[in-house]
């Protein structure tokens, strides 16, 4: 899967920072690296499914980023990001 852009919603950015203590930059670093992608569930719109990207920032922080993949534009609409559970790290 190739991600060429990231779509940010203000409400999601606030949640990432306030609840999960994850910055926009860290999410972008995960996508810029070599994350592992995992299908999560079918999306509300045809062809726009929810995936998880599991990776590390250059600083070594592990993150799991949940996003809706927009196949036509190859963009990711981020819906959440947080530290992965031990089980999620091993996926």
């Amino acid at each position: 899967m190739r991600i060429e852009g990231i779509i940010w919603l203000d409400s999601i950015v606030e949640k990432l920072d306030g609840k999960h203590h994850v910055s926009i930059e860290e999410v972008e670093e995960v996508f810029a690296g070599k994350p592992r992608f995992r299908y999560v569930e079918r999306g509300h719109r045809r062809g726009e499914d929810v995936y998880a990207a599991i990776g590390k920032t250059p600083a070594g922080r592990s993150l799991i980023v949940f996003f809706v993949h927009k196949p036509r534009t190859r963009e990711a609409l981020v819906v959440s990001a947080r530290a992965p559970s031990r089980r999620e790290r091993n996926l």
Side-chain angles (χ1 to χ4, degrees):
M1 179 179 298
R2 198 166 87 199
I3 303 296
E4 295 181 0
I6 301 174
I7 301 168
W8 295 104
L9 301 178
D10 291 337
S11 60
I12 300 297
V13 171
E14 290 174 16
K15 180 181 86 169
L16 295 181
D17 184 45
K19 184 176 180 182
H20 300 297
H21 307 290
V22 175
S23 70
I24 291 173
E25 292 80 14
E26 288 176 309
V27 171
E28 290 173 345
E29 289 170 351
V30 168
F31 281 117
K34 295 189 186 283
R36 289 173 289 145
F37 293 103
R38 176 174 63 91
Y39 173 83
V40 175
E41 66 184 22
R42 193 169 144 202
H44 296 294
R45 293 189 180 170
R46 187 174 190 186
E48 295 185 357
D49 297 326
V50 180
Y51 291 87
I54 303 167
K56 287 190 175 190
T57 67
R61 183 177 183 191
S62 293
L63 290 176
I64 184 166
V65 181
F66 296 93
F67 64 97
V68 175
H69 182 239
K70 306 276 189 179
R72 290 185 187 173
T73 60
R74 294 189 174 135
E75 291 178 300
L77 170 61
V78 175
V79 294
S80 188
R82 58 175 169 74
S85 68
R86 189 169 292 159
R87 181 175 172 231
E88 289 167 333
R89 279 191 296 256
N90 295 326
L91 294 177

